[in-house]
Amino acid sequence: MKRFNTRKTLRHHLQQVRKDRLRVAFVPTMGALHQGHITLIHHARTLADVVVCSIFVNPTQFNDPEDLKKYPRPIDTDIRLLQEAGCHVLFQPEVSEMYGPDEHWHMDLGRLDEILEASHRPGHFQGVTQVVKKLFDIVQPDIACFGQKDFQQFKVVERLVAQFQLPVKLAMVPTVREPDGLAMSSRNVRLSATGRQQALALYRALLWIKTDMTAKAPSTLREEAIRFLESSPGVQVEYVALCDAQTLETIDEFTETRSSVALVAAWVDGVRLIDNMLLN
Ligand code: PAF
């Protein structure tokens, strides 16, 4: 695996790759890699000749400085995992390589910047679009892979690509779960053994919704899931939402023609967790 820290050296390398007419797939990450990321790398390998992964803990997408400080950075393990997964290129820039001293640009993300994650993490998706746009400009991938776990992030990146007419295809890769159902996340390592068990409530709430969806209205399912989470020890629910999977607007009924998604965010053991499940 080749490693680059600067835009210039990575660009230079990828120019040669393109001269050789090889397809490039890109997996942007913030490191602290787990099986979910490795699945993205494996998927990327099926889509292109060269897989580029970035590890960059992007400061502009953290609205809580404590969260940024506590974000795990096990770089040696990450490099080993990427090598074992067959990643070809790692881009690992410093903050000064990615941002100028006084950068405040903003993109119109419409409702995506107001609802769900955006309402609880103001500015988060502005940070995500800033860094993803920069990374896409540097890597110029044919295709980029993102995990379904960050469902709203995927919608935001779709909008970024549409707005700037970027010549990149996007692939959403299904969430990878632990055997007991917990969605894999870099934040899970911060859970205590008790918190780890309590965190299962998110997955159970989503399963509950999916199991009952043919019999009940979305608003009833939402209320029941919130009640379930509120009665689960150690869980502070932020939101449960049943939404149109295209627009992420709340739905008041299920229809055959529209796919829907249930999304949940909650604090467990001092860690903020999110999860979602496609319903039809
Ligand atoms: O999903 C993530 O890890 C990050 O939000 C991303 C897409 C790498 C941007 O920093």
Side-chain angles (χ1 to χ4, degrees), residues 27-31 37 54 56-58 61-62 71 124 127-129 131-132 135 146-147 150 153 157 186:
V27 180
T29 81
M30 298 206 299
H37 296 108
S54 61
F56 178 64
V57 183
N58 174 35
Q61 71 187 74
F62 286 82
Y71 204 84
H124 168 66
V128 170
T129 37
V131 79
V132 172
L135 289 167
F146 293 83
D150 294 294
Q153 168 172 280
V157 176
S186 304

Side-chain angles (χ1 to χ4, degrees), residues 14-28:
L14 291 176
Q15 262 161 18
Q16 189 54 48
V17 166
R18 268 184 286 274
K19 259 193 210 144
D20 294 342
R21 297 192 172 276
L22 299 174
R23 273 173 68 78
V24 174
F26 179 42
V27 180

Side-chain angles (χ1 to χ4, degrees), residues 24-258:
V24 174
F26 179 42
V27 180
T29 81
M30 298 206 299
L33 304 179
H34 49 70
Q35 195 51 42
H37 296 108
I38 301 309
T39 303
L40 291 177
I41 302 282
H42 287 160
H43 188 70
R45 279 179 59 114
T46 67
L47 301 171
D49 308 293
V50 173
V51 175
V52 179
C53 174
S54 61
I55 294 184
F56 178 64
V57 183
N58 174 35
T60 66
Q61 71 187 74
F62 286 82
N63 52 326
D64 173 1
E66 263 314 288
D67 196 23
L68 173 60
K69 214 160 78 191
K70 283 190 200 151
Y71 204 84
R73 292 166 171 86
I75 190 63
D76 293 339
T77 311
D78 285 350
I79 290 170
R80 180 177 54 75
L81 288 173
L82 287 177
Q83 275 164 340
E84 286 170 6
C87 177
H88 302 102
V89 175
L90 169 61
F91 182 47
Q92 204 196 327
E94 294 292 333
V95 175
S96 57
E97 187 67 22
M98 294 299 288
Y99 288 104
D102 205 17
E103 255 192 66
H104 300 291
W105 63 275
H106 182 277
M107 190 185 141
D108 178 10
L109 296 171
R111 292 270 298 148
L112 287 174
D113 215 6
E114 293 166 10
I115 57 176
L116 304 168
E117 283 303 284
S119 72
H120 292 273
R121 303 183 68 188
H124 168 66
F125 288 126
Q126 290 302 325
V128 170
T129 37
Q130 283 169 7
V131 79
V132 172
K133 172 75 169 65
K134 282 166 186 276
L135 289 167
F136 280 179
D137 286 347
I138 300 166
V139 178
Q140 296 181 18
D142 296 285
I143 186 150
C145 302
F146 293 83
Q148 184 195 321
K149 190 169 103 30
D150 294 294
F151 197 85
Q152 191 173 358
Q153 168 172 280
F154 189 84
K155 297 281 148 194
V156 163
V157 176
E158 270 183 343
R159 191 174 167 114
L160 168 80
V161 167
Q163 201 131 318
F164 285 94
Q165 298 184 332
L166 302 176
V168 54
K169 285 204 167 66
L170 298 177
M172 187 199 284
V173 180
T175 303
V176 179
R177 298 184 180 279
E178 301 284 357
D180 59 8
L182 182 70
M184 290 201 183
S185 162
S186 304
R187 291 193 159 83
N188 290 354
V189 292
R190 284 164 48 198
L191 293 167
S192 65
T194 309
R196 169 70 186 69
Q197 281 312 305
Q198 293 170 336
L200 280 177
L202 277 77
Y203 175 61
R204 291 190 181 129
L206 292 171
L207 268 188
W208 176 316
I209 292 173
K210 190 161 178 146
T211 310
D212 275 14
M213 65 175 280
T214 47
K216 292 174 185 163
S219 57
T220 312
L221 291 169
R222 178 177 172 273
E223 279 159 27
E224 287 181 0
I226 290 178
R227 266 204 302 279
F228 167 73
L229 286 168
E230 281 175 348
S231 65
S232 304
V235 177
Q236 283 105 49
V237 56
E238 266 192 359
Y239 64 78
V240 174
L242 280 84
C243 299
D244 181 311
Q246 282 307 316
T247 63
L248 281 190
E249 291 298 340
T250 305
I251 51 168
D252 46 28
E253 58 175 350
F254 295 110
T255 65
E256 301 249 312
T257 51
R258 175 178 62 193

